[in-house]
């Protein structure tokens, strides 16, 4: 109230002096830009001289782009940080950004310090003229200013070329927004149509209108997603509740409990009926409550008492009582506090259960559809490696929901058995990537004799041994015979020794010359080692969060671009049990429907979280279960919905109306009018929410006597 009165009297206005940079800030900005420009110049010079160290999985040009882009993005971020420190605490844009009403630190630093790199399609500004972006620059210039870096701020004003690059970036943003609204709107409608009739029934199962079971228990625990207290979607925030209990229920001279007493009370309370699955409590909640009290609280107390020498019979000094109080205040708990805490947690947990009849499908569809409107459309993310793009944003969500047979960027993440060994990782990479005969052959020559003509292939054994590829003439022969387009028979390929083999074409004399040249051109493209469907594999340092807890030092994994999950899992040295693919249809074909279900949940979760959005896991589980409950992965498209739903009216209200109505009338199909769409079309109450149960009333029958009453009694 006081702040509202103050701002009412004082006012909140913004002026040009709020975005005027100080002298110190201008100096620091110039210094920062100069240093990073110098870094970029050094890299460009190394590139021109051919001395640039190449990043894994990239060529020199891609490496240069990645490094320059990284340096220039860093400029904007660093200048932004300097700018935020230099501003006065009463600066109006700063107040707006910090209190969360509108704007971000980047907006402020663009106004005051530096607009930064303009990107078009996730890259620096492309060439609009021959070998240059604009005629104002020299040809083949890779310099930051020539590729869309805006060093001025909006306060300074942009130069003509900077303004042009800024317009290119802005145009993309506008088109993006226009396209995105249509895409996300259609996606939301499809989700809603597929999920609209799912509800929680009185036996705690989630079923559709024709009572087919989708989930035995909603989200594995039957909890209401909107009532969850913890960030990760768990029902209760134990540490906050514990602090509340300690504050509202002081010890008042009671003695603190020992480790064994805490364990005893907790285990006794957890054995009651209301903490069993039959009493409506999930195993996960029971385990998390037990972990919090026994592992976190009781273990901490035990360590603290040992540190204060308050073991069983260790310390008997005069200030023992004082130390007991210290232990109690830091992390101790009395019997009363523990009982109040347990009862509060359990009663609050049971209040968070979903009511039967809740239209959980509609809630789930909106919870997944709505964040889509806030996503940027074309976002590419470097999966730890430059130039390895992963589709994200709305296109990725569309791919998952449509259960697309062909996706833009299929990537297999292969964990290795010896993850700390970089040499082993490189050897496995060489086995996965396809090696062509042309890469390991010293020569492929046509040999003309008086009676016979053949093609002699000599292998470069030194290269093969350095790469540790295990290839010789015998394995090459098998590869040639297995290549379908060459059409050679066993007797046409002859191995002379482990490093040399000959190929004899079968053709008439007049066609022999053409056949020899055809084979000579085709043979270098034969895949002699590796997986044909893989484009490339990249050795990548594992992220901290993905590591096994016991791993020390740097660990490595392989990112394989392309399909062929089964083949990658079968390569020696790859840990097949921990190898994942982001292609859901391939996961279903290779590992089955349960793996596909988990893959759908993980992929939607990953896409949403990479855009900084948190959706309750239960919504994603419901969608994944609906897509997989028939035993195959069904997309939320007209074909998938047709297989999920039986109702003619519902399908007619979705897509291809006339086709459905025509075929249903020809085949004489009937509609039981159970789902939401049908009930709305027919104008009757739907069987969801309070319409789920039928109410019967028992009325005593009144006997009616139709005899004429006598005139005289």
């Amino acid at each position: 109230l006081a702040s509202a009165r103050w701002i009412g009297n004082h006012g909140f206005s913004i002026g040009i002096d709020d975005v005027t940079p100080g002298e110190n800030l201008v100096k620091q900005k110039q210094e920062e830009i100069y240093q990073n420009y110098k870094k970029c110049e050094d890299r460009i010079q190394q590139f021109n001289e051919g001395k640039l160290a190449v990043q894994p999985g990239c060529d020199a040009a891609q490496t240069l782009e990645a490094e320059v882009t990284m340096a220039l993005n860093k400029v904007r971020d660093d200048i932004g940080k300097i700018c935020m420190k230099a501003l006065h605490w009463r600066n109006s844009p700063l107040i707006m950004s910090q209190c969360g009403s509108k704007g971000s630190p980047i907006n402020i630093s663009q106004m005051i310090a530096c607009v930064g790199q303009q990107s078009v399609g996730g890259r620096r500004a492309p060439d609009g003229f021959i070998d240059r972006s604009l005629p104002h620059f020299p040809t083949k210039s890779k310099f930051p200013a020539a590729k869309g870096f805006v060093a001025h701020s909006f306060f300074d004003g942009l130069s003509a070329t900077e303004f042009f690059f800024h317009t290119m970036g802005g145009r993309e943003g506008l088109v993006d927004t226009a396209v995105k609204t249509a895409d996300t709107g259609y996606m939301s409608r499809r989700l809603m149509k597929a999920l609209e009739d799912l509800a929680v029934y009185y036996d705690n199962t989630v079923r559709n209108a024709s009572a087919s079971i989708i989930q035995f228990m909603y989200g594995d625990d039957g909890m209401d997603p909107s009532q969850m207290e913890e960030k990760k979607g768990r029902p209760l925030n134990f540490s906050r509740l514990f602090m509340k209990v300690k504050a509202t229920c002081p010890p008042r001279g009671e003695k603190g409990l020992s480790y064994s007493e805490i364990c005893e009370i907790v285990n006794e309370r957890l054995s009651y009926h209301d903490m069993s699955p039959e009493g409506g409590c999930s195993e996960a909640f029971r385990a998390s409550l037990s972990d919090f009290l026994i592992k976190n609280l009781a273990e901490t107390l035990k360590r603290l008492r040992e540190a204060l020498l308050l073991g069983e019979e260790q310390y008997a000094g005069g200030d023992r009582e004082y130390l007991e109080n210290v232990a109690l205040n830091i992390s101790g708990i009395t019997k009363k506090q523990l009982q109040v805490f347990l009862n509060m947690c359990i009663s609050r947990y049971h209040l968070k259960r979903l009511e039967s009849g809740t239209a959980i499908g509609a809630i789930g569809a909106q919870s997944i559809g709505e964040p889509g409107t806030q996503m940027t459309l074309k976002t590419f993310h470097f999966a730890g490696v430059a130039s390895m793009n992963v589709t994200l944003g709305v296109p990725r969500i569309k791919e998952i929901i449509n259960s697309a047979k062909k996706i833009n960027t299929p990537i297999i993440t292969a964990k290795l058995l010896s993850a700390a060994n970089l040499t082993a990782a490189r050897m496995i990479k060489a086995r996965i990537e396809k090696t062509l005969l042309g890469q390991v052959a010293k020569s492929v020559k046509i040999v003309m004799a008086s009676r016979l003509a053949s093609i002699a292939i000599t292998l470069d054994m030194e290269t093969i041994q350095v790469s540790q590829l295990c290839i010789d003439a015998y394995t090459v022969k098998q590869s040639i015979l297995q290549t379908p387009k060459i059409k050679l028979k066993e007797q046409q390929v002859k191995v002379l020794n482990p490093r040399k083999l000959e190929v004899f074409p079968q053709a008439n004399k007049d066609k022999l010359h053409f056949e020899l040249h055809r084979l000579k051109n085709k043979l270098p493209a034969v895949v002699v080692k590796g997986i044909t469907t893989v484009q490339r594999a990249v050795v990548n340092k594992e992220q901290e969060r993905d590591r096994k807890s016991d791993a020390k030092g740097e660990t490595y994994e392989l990112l394989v671009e392309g399909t062929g999950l089964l083949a990658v899992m079968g390569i020696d040295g790859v840990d097949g049990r921990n190898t994942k693919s982001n292609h859901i249809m391939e996961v279903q074909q290779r590992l089955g429907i349960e793996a596909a279900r988990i893959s759908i949940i993980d992929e939607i979760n990953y896409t949403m979280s990479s855009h900084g959005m948190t959706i309750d896991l239960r919504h994603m589980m419901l969608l994944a279960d609906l897509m997989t409950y028939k035993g195959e992965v069904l997309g939320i498209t007209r074909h998938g919905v047709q297989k999920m739903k039986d109702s003619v009216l519902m399908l007619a209200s979705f897509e291809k109306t006339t086709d459905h109505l025509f075929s249903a009338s020809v085949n004489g199909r009937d509609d039981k009018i159970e789902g939401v769409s049908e009930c709305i079309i027919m104008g009757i109450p739907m069987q969801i929410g309070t319409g789920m149960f039928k109410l019967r009333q028992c009325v005593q029958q009144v006997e009616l006597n139709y005899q004429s009453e006598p005139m005289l009694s």
Side-chain angles (χ1 to χ4, degrees):
L1 189 67
S3 59
R5 171 60 56 90
W6 183 84
I7 212 162
N9 292 336
H10 178 270
F12 183 85
S13 64
I14 187 165
I16 198 74
D17 54 336
D18 277 320
V19 290
T20 308
E23 279 181 34
N24 192 24
L25 180 60
V26 174
K27 268 187 201 164
Q28 282 180 300
K29 171 194 154 179
Q30 295 294 352
E31 181 64 29
E32 187 75 32
I33 286 181
Y34 174 73
Q35 283 178 353
N36 279 286
Y37 269 24
K38 194 158 180 2
K39 223 184 263 178
C40 293
E41 276 182 63
D42 294 345
R43 291 278 181 275
I44 293 164
Q45 196 176 343
Q46 286 174 358
F47 171 74
N48 291 336
E49 292 168 2
K51 292 177 183 171
L52 187 66
V54 179
Q55 286 187 3
C58 308
D59 58 22
Q62 288 171 329
T63 303
L64 178 72
E65 275 301 303
E67 290 191 4
V68 169
T69 308
M70 209 166 84
L72 295 178
N73 286 341
K74 190 171 166 287
V75 173
R76 191 180 67 178
D77 295 343
D78 291 352
I79 292 175
K81 281 174 193 161
I82 296 166
C83 174
M84 296 304 277
K85 278 182 195 161
L87 291 178
H88 190 263
W89 64 273
R90 287 283 301 277
N91 183 284
S92 295
L94 184 70
I95 293 169
M96 284 195 284
S97 141
Q98 283 175 340
C99 78
S101 58
K102 205 85 183 101
S104 66
I106 281 186
N107 301 137
I108 297 173
S109 68
Q110 282 189 326
M111 286 193 285
I112 303 172
C114 162
V115 175
Q117 177 67 49
Q118 301 301 305
S119 71
V120 181
R123 293 191 176 86
R124 298 202 293 162
D127 291 343
F129 293 81
I130 298 170
D131 287 338
R132 53 184 164 180
S133 52
L134 284 175
H136 307 63
F137 303 107
T139 52
K140 294 186 180 164
S141 171
K142 303 263 183 205
F143 199 68
K147 283 283 188 180
F149 183 74
V150 181
H152 288 117
S153 66
F154 288 126
F155 173 79
D156 300 335
L158 279 59
S159 71
T161 50
E162 287 177 337
F163 185 77
F164 186 77
F165 289 131
H166 185 60
T167 352
M168 286 168 79
R171 168 78 54 89
E172 191 187 31
L174 290 174
V175 172
D176 210 56
T177 314
V179 173
K180 186 182 69 185
T181 42
D183 266 2
T184 52
Y186 180 45
M187 191 177 78
S188 293
R189 177 174 180 269
R190 288 191 340 237
L191 279 170
M192 198 67 182
K193 273 297 193 198
L195 290 155
E196 65 185 5
D197 59 349
L198 301 188
V200 180
Y201 276 62
Y202 284 96
D203 57 354
N204 290 329
T205 56
V206 177
R207 301 177 186 236
N208 62 15
S210 51
S212 305
I213 295 180
I214 310 293
Q215 285 183 327
F216 290 113
M217 167 81 80
Y218 174 67
D220 289 344
D221 58 1
M223 290 285 113
D224 186 348
S226 62
Q227 304 267 342
M228 298 298 100
E229 289 177 16
E230 211 186 36
K231 267 191 179 173
K232 288 180 183 169
R234 295 199 187 97
L236 298 174
N237 188 339
F238 291 126
S239 47
R240 197 170 68 189
L241 277 176
F242 182 66
M243 278 154 57
K244 181 183 173 183
V245 168
K246 285 197 84 167
T248 53
C249 180
R252 299 194 198 283
E254 247 188 289
K255 200 167 121 312
L257 294 172
S258 69
Y259 175 77
S260 53
E261 287 170 330
I262 292 176
C263 295
E264 193 182 324
I265 293 170
V266 170
N267 289 331
E268 187 195 346
R269 182 66 187 84
L270 294 184
S271 64
Y272 285 16
H273 177 69
D274 63 354
M275 287 304 289
S276 65
E278 294 79 35
C281 173
S282 72
E283 281 295 326
F285 175 72
R286 196 167 177 279
S288 63
L289 181 58
S290 167
D291 281 357
F292 176 76
L293 284 169
I294 291 173
K295 283 194 182 162
N296 295 4
L297 189 74
E299 290 285 348
T300 314
L301 179 65
K302 194 176 181 183
R303 283 198 297 273
L304 178 71
R305 290 180 70 85
E306 281 168 8
L308 292 172
L309 304 175
L310 288 171
E312 300 306 315
E313 293 299 325
Q314 285 178 318
Y315 191 84
D319 54 355
R320 183 179 176 106
E321 194 176 323
Y322 169 71
L323 288 176
E324 285 280 5
N325 282 338
V326 170
L328 179 59
N329 286 336
I330 294 174
S331 64
I333 188 169
T334 65
K335 188 174 182 181
K336 180 82 186 296
Q337 284 175 334
L338 184 57
Q339 285 170 342
V340 169
F341 176 72
L342 278 166
N343 290 333
M344 184 192 259
C345 286
I346 292 162
S347 60
R348 280 179 84 123
Y349 174 78
H350 284 293
L351 284 173
K352 292 178 191 295
R353 291 189 65 77
L354 260 181
E355 290 183 54
S356 300
T358 309
I360 209 63
I363 296 169
Q366 287 185 343
S367 303
I368 295 167
E370 193 274 333
T373 56
Q374 296 165 33
M375 280 187 192
T376 43
L377 188 67
K378 287 189 175 65
T379 320
F380 288 112
H381 150 76
F382 301 113
V385 178
S387 87
M388 184 170 260
N389 289 334
V390 183
T391 316
L392 283 181
V394 180
R396 179 66 187 136
I397 296 281
K398 267 174 71 179
E399 280 178 352
I400 300 164
I401 286 174
N402 294 355
S403 65
K405 295 268 191 302
K406 192 167 182 282
I407 66 172
N408 283 331
T409 51
I411 287 180
I412 298 165
T413 311
K415 300 281 184 215
L416 308 176
L417 291 171
S418 51
N421 189 340
L422 183 58
T423 318
R426 288 198 176 129
M427 280 168 63
I428 297 165
K429 167 185 169 356
R431 285 179 189 169
I432 290 175
E433 279 189 313
K434 54 185 177 203
T435 307
L436 305 179
L437 182 54
Q439 293 171 321
V440 292
K442 235 179 203 170
S443 61
V444 179
K445 291 180 188 164
I446 295 176
V447 180
M448 303 287 273
S450 55
R451 304 281 304 272
L452 275 173
S454 66
I455 294 170
I457 302 165
T458 314
L459 298 178
D460 185 352
M461 294 313 276
E462 286 76 31
T463 308
I464 291 169
Q465 277 162 0
V466 167
S467 310
Q468 294 177 314
L469 283 174
C470 315
I471 298 172
D472 59 10
Y474 298 98
T475 58
V476 171
K477 177 182 175 179
Q478 289 305 318
S479 304
I480 292 171
L481 294 176
Q482 283 165 7
T483 308
K485 286 182 183 171
I486 292 182
K487 293 175 188 164
L488 290 172
K489 294 193 177 76
E490 178 87 35
Q491 57 270 25
Q492 287 176 262
V493 184
K494 189 177 174 189
V495 177
L496 304 174
N497 58 42
R499 63 167 62 213
K500 196 166 183 184
L501 65 158
E502 271 189 307
V503 178
F504 300 95
Q506 264 188 347
N508 302 332
K509 279 189 178 177
D510 51 344
K511 289 184 183 171
L512 184 64
H513 188 71
F514 295 108
E515 185 64 16
L516 281 169
H517 280 278
R518 185 186 78 87
L519 279 175
K520 192 191 170 189
N521 293 338
K522 280 272 176 77
L523 283 170
V526 171
V527 178
V528 288
K529 191 86 183 172
I531 303 159
T532 44
T533 51
V534 165
Q535 268 67 55
R536 62 181 178 145
V538 176
V539 177
N540 182 35
K541 257 187 224 169
E542 268 190 287
Q543 302 290 320
E544 287 288 335
R545 58 189 163 76
D546 296 339
R547 279 200 204 173
K548 294 170 187 159
S549 53
D550 55 349
K552 289 184 175 68
E554 289 180 343
T555 55
Y556 300 92
E557 61 184 1
L558 279 183
L559 295 174
V560 181
E561 205 172 295
T563 54
L565 178 63
L566 197 63
V568 171
M569 287 163 77
I571 298 269
D572 285 343
V574 171
D575 183 0
R577 287 176 299 179
N578 292 317
T579 296
K580 296 198 297 258
S581 168
N582 67 349
H583 194 333
I584 285 145
M585 297 309 281
E586 191 183 21
V587 170
Q588 187 222 333
Q589 286 160 10
R590 300 283 169 258
L591 300 174
I593 197 75
E594 281 298 319
R597 172 186 173 270
I598 289 172
S599 186
I600 292 171
I601 298 169
D602 288 348
E603 286 299 316
I604 296 178
N605 200 5
Y606 173 69
T607 309
M608 291 294 187
S609 57
S610 58
H611 281 270
M613 292 167 196
T614 42
I615 298 179
D616 199 293
L617 200 65
R618 295 168 182 84
H619 301 310
M620 297 181 257
M621 287 164 78
L622 184 69
L623 178 65
D625 276 318
L626 180 80
M627 286 170 71
T628 52
Y629 85 108
K630 290 272 191 188
E632 58 177 320
V633 178
L634 299 175
I636 313 270
T637 57
R638 59 184 74 155
H639 312 293
V641 171
Q642 205 169 337
K643 286 181 184 172
M644 286 179 208
K645 311 277 184 193
D646 310 319
S647 163
V648 177
L649 286 177
M650 188 266 144
L651 293 172
S653 73
F654 180 48
E655 275 169 24
K656 289 195 167 177
T657 309
T658 45
D659 295 16
H660 285 300
L661 293 177
F662 182 76
S663 65
S665 54
V666 166
N667 298 322
R669 287 184 59 187
D670 59 336
D671 196 319
K672 291 178 183 166
I673 310 191
E674 295 166 319
V676 174
S677 292
E678 306 94 283
C679 287
I680 292 170
I681 291 167
M682 302 305 292
I684 57 173
M686 47 188 131
Q687 296 165 24
I688 212 165
T690 50
M692 185 171 275
F693 58 88
K694 303 277 186 290
L695 192 65
R696 294 191 173 184
Q697 193 177 3
C698 180
V699 182
Q700 284 186 339
Q701 281 191 330
V702 181
E703 284 187 24
L704 296 170
N705 195 357
Y706 288 112
Q707 292 174 359
S708 56
E709 289 181 10
M711 300 285 286
L712 299 165
S713 57

